[in-house]
Amino acid sequence: MITEKVQHFQVELLQRYRTSEFAAIAKTTRSPKTSAAGIAIGTLLILLAPPVQAANLTFVSDRATLGATDRLDWSILGPVQPPFKVLPNSFSVTSEQGLGVNVSIPQATTPGVTPPLLFQTLPAPGIATNFASGDFVLLTGLRPGPPPAVGNPGPLTISFDRPVAAAGTQIAVDDTFLFTASISAFDSANNLLGSFSTQGTSSLALDNSAQFLGVRSDVANISRLVYSSSEGDSLRDSFASRALGINALSIAEAVPEPSNIAATAVAGAGLALFAFKLKRISLSLNK
């Protein structure tokens, strides 16, 4: 917000002194001092202009390095009556810091597969996974019964009420030791910002080894994340599809660094002072 105001002020200042008032200065004098001052003004405005940078989206494979400032734990959807709580295919929740989040999972095409489920992973007789013991897990849905564990492959879509700078979660696939997990990020205009894939594993170890999939951008332009896995390939037999599970969502909203705020404020004050001095020069030359 501060940077935008500085940019607007610079444009307004340049337009003002390119018109009749600045022309009057040129007619009044051609002093080398005046010309040098004009060059200095232009140079200063260029130097103070904030650099324009394209947003850069990067893959984050570790929760600790995401730089999260907010969190969404699926326990907010509880309480869970063991073993599962049945959820709708689309629902909205609020993060710990008040960010609205919408979750959408398509209905399963395989007969007998349940809607999305919520459970808490715990040692036997609970449901063991390779998330941390006690984690609440959002599962896309499965067909109860003996192996093979047919399930809803997703994808699982997470949308934010306002764009964020970073977000991610750990992921596992039911009844599949080795798989490829993918994450795609989109902006508010539904433009694809980037997609990343990595290898993941699933087990019953309760050791928090589930793969973390996150993304981080230079600006807050991430409006939607889509999670999927290699066990949901549409070209495969639907009875070979497996359910996708995620634990708590880590989120970071863009916040300017204190040093950047201070620098922008100094630049704004400098421009205001320079504009005042330039106005005085113009008035004195036109007397």
Side-chain angles (χ1 to χ4, degrees):
M1 180 65 72
I2 297 175
T3 302
E4 290 177 356
K5 289 183 177 179
V6 171
Q7 290 175 320
H8 176 74
F9 178 77
Q10 291 169 352
V11 171
E12 185 179 19
L13 186 63
L14 284 172
Q15 290 175 342
R16 185 185 307 166
Y17 290 99
R18 281 175 181 168
T19 55
S20 58
E21 190 171 336
F22 201 83
I25 297 176
K27 290 179 181 180
T28 303
T29 178
R30 294 182 181 272
S31 166
K33 292 183 179 180
T34 304
S35 299
I39 294 173
I41 292 169
T43 303
L44 180 62
L45 290 175
I46 292 171
L47 291 175
L48 288 177
V52 178
Q53 296 179 344
N56 181 36
L57 189 76
T58 57
F59 175 64
V60 181
S61 60
D62 179 72
R63 192 184 296 270
T65 62
L66 185 76
T69 56
D70 196 3
R71 186 171 183 268
L72 176 56
D73 195 300
W74 304 116
S75 60
I76 195 173
L77 300 170
V80 175
Q81 296 297 326
F84 300 108
K85 177 176 182 175
V86 178
L87 302 171
N89 286 84
S90 180
F91 57 87
S92 296
V93 287
T94 303
S95 72
E96 293 177 0
Q97 298 300 319
L99 176 66
V101 179
N102 179 266
V103 177
S104 180
I105 301 167
Q107 291 186 352
T109 58
T110 306
V113 173
T114 70
L117 302 170
L118 175 70
F119 69 93
Q120 187 175 23
T121 182
L122 293 166
I127 302 173
T129 67
N130 63 333
F131 294 108
S133 181
D135 278 3
F136 283 81
V137 178
L138 174 60
L139 191 73
T140 51
L142 52 77
R143 187 178 65 181
V150 177
N152 183 349
L156 191 155
T157 300
I158 298 173
S159 303
F160 304 103
D161 278 0
R162 57 182 179 269
V164 302
T169 184
Q170 288 170 268
I171 187 172
V173 173
D174 186 36
D175 200 26
T176 305
F177 175 71
L178 191 65
F179 60 91
T180 299
S182 301
I183 180 174
S184 298
F186 298 82
D187 65 13
S188 58
N190 203 35
N191 296 310
L192 177 64
L193 300 174
S195 296
F196 304 92
S197 296
T198 189
Q199 184 173 294
T201 60
S202 297
S203 72
L204 308 179
L206 288 171
D207 58 357
N208 200 34
S209 63
Q211 179 63 48
F212 184 84
L213 263 75
V215 288
R216 181 172 53 218
S217 178
D218 293 342
V219 295
N221 61 348
I222 302 169
S223 292
R224 180 164 57 93
L225 297 178
V226 178
Y227 285 94
S228 59
S229 83
S230 56
E231 305 309 300
D233 192 333
S234 61
L235 298 178
R236 297 178 55 181
D237 182 353
S238 61
F239 287 91
S241 296
R242 300 290 180 261
L244 181 68
I246 62 172
N247 64 354
L249 183 68
S250 294
I251 308 165
E253 294 197 61
V255 178
E257 294 292 336
S259 58
N260 291 341
I261 295 175
T264 306
V266 170
L271 279 173
L273 178 61
F274 206 82
F276 175 73
K277 290 183 177 180
L278 187 62
K279 182 70 175 179
R280 291 186 60 184
I281 293 172
S282 172
L283 291 175
S284 64
L285 289 175
N286 282 295
K287 286 182 179 180

